[in-house]
Amino acid sequence: MTKIERLRELLDNHRDEERAEKMAAYMKGNFKFYGLPSPDRKKITKDFIKEEKQSKVIDWDFLYQCYEEDERECHYIAIDILIAMRKHLTYEDIDKILPFIKNQQWWDTIDALDAVIGGIGLVDERVCDLMIQWSQDDDMWFRRLAIDFQLAYKDQTNTDVLEAIILNNLGSTEFFINKAIGWSLREYSKVNPEWVKDFIRRHHESMSPLSIREASKYI
């Protein structure tokens, strides 16, 4: 039995059709589901992901197979594995990560990839320049990822990069972009509220009400 067949069997044994319908509806009908909320999925696949982690080698072919599955949980599991293997990822692996950004696009997987790209950025400064490029991409989801890749950085946040990326996206009418701007500023306000206050003061007229509302939540 192949690895993807093992995964299908594992997930199918825990399928919950009623919950799957609700999860699909929540995601606007964009994806099918096995009906496994995140805590259940992680519990069920714990040993599976542990095996992958112990190998210390990322099985890219398997991850791509996961992304070709219809059920959304398989896409999540591919990213779960990438997060578990973060210390093995390098800047050169970003090209291999691109299919997970370009395909099966929606906010849930894009936001999960913040931790993957952000993890690489903590050890390789080239990611900052790349994120500034992505912040001007025609693809909205690349821009959203660029805006939020420093979400977990706290006092390691590069404010010059954060500001440049946000400025590249001010004036957008896209909900997912304006929400991301507010989210990135809100998270950074937890460690540096004065910087965020000053940013809002300087760019208030160009920021959407949504971005300002989100950014101001803790200040």
Side-chain angles (χ1 to χ4, degrees):
M1 185 180 291
T2 65
K3 200 181 293 185
I4 192 67
E5 288 171 340
R6 283 176 52 212
L7 181 62
R8 287 186 197 128
E9 181 177 77
L10 177 63
L11 297 176
D12 203 44
N13 287 339
H14 294 84
R15 186 186 290 274
D16 184 328
E17 293 291 358
E18 183 177 351
R19 188 174 279 169
E21 289 183 10
K22 293 178 181 178
M23 293 174 74
Y26 178 71
M27 299 300 287
K28 310 296 185 184
N30 288 319
F31 308 99
K32 295 180 180 179
F33 284 84
Y34 282 101
L36 303 174
S38 181
D40 293 351
R41 181 188 81 245
K42 290 182 179 180
K43 181 179 180 180
I44 291 164
T45 60
K46 181 180 178 181
D47 290 340
F48 196 98
I49 292 176
K50 184 179 179 179
E51 288 179 22
E52 293 299 302
K53 193 173 181 180
Q54 288 176 338
S55 74
K56 299 182 181 180
V57 176
I58 298 173
D59 186 344
W60 293 101
D61 288 339
F62 170 62
L63 297 187
Y64 296 146
Q65 286 178 327
C66 287
Y67 242 66
E68 291 171 359
E69 294 292 297
D70 291 333
E71 287 84 1
R72 193 59 162 166
E73 287 91 343
C74 292
H75 311 159
Y76 296 154
I77 290 165
I79 298 174
D80 288 343
I81 292 171
L82 283 175
I83 291 172
M85 302 285 280
R86 269 183 297 184
K87 70 177 184 180
H88 300 291
L89 291 169
T90 68
Y91 183 84
E92 287 68 31
D93 287 319
I94 292 178
D95 282 344
K96 298 175 185 175
I97 296 169
L98 292 179
F100 307 120
I101 305 172
K102 293 179 178 179
N103 302 309
Q104 311 287 3
Q105 292 177 313
W106 199 237
W107 62 266
D108 52 345
T109 50
I110 296 300
D111 291 353
L113 287 164
D114 288 337
V116 177
I117 299 298
I120 299 171
L122 282 173
V123 296
D124 197 315
E125 293 182 354
R126 289 177 292 175
V127 170
C128 289
D129 289 336
L130 181 62
M131 291 303 102
I132 291 173
Q133 292 178 36
W134 283 13
S135 73
Q136 302 171 80
D137 199 277
D138 291 338
D139 189 324
M140 169 189 75
W141 297 113
F142 276 84
R143 299 202 308 277
R144 181 176 169 98
L145 205 160
I147 293 166
D148 286 339
F149 87 99
Q150 296 190 88
L151 274 184
Y153 280 22
K154 298 183 179 180
D155 58 1
Q156 292 181 279
T157 298
N158 185 321
T159 52
D160 290 338
V161 172
L162 179 61
E163 180 156 1
I165 287 172
I166 293 176
L167 291 182
N168 283 340
N169 285 275
L170 290 185
S172 174
T173 58
E174 173 53 60
F175 169 84
F176 288 109
I177 293 299
N178 290 325
K179 184 80 170 180
I181 290 171
W183 193 14
S184 65
L185 292 171
R186 182 186 70 195
E187 286 303 301
Y188 188 53
S189 76
K190 294 176 182 178
V191 295
N192 194 343
E194 292 306 317
W195 188 92
V196 175
K197 286 179 184 178
D198 183 62
F199 182 93
I200 295 172
R201 179 187 59 77
R202 288 184 287 115
H203 302 292
H204 187 275
E205 293 185 1
S206 301
M207 294 176 70
S208 75
L210 172 60
S211 296
I212 294 171
R213 184 168 64 251
E214 289 290 325
S216 304
K217 187 172 182 179
Y218 298 123
I219 58 177

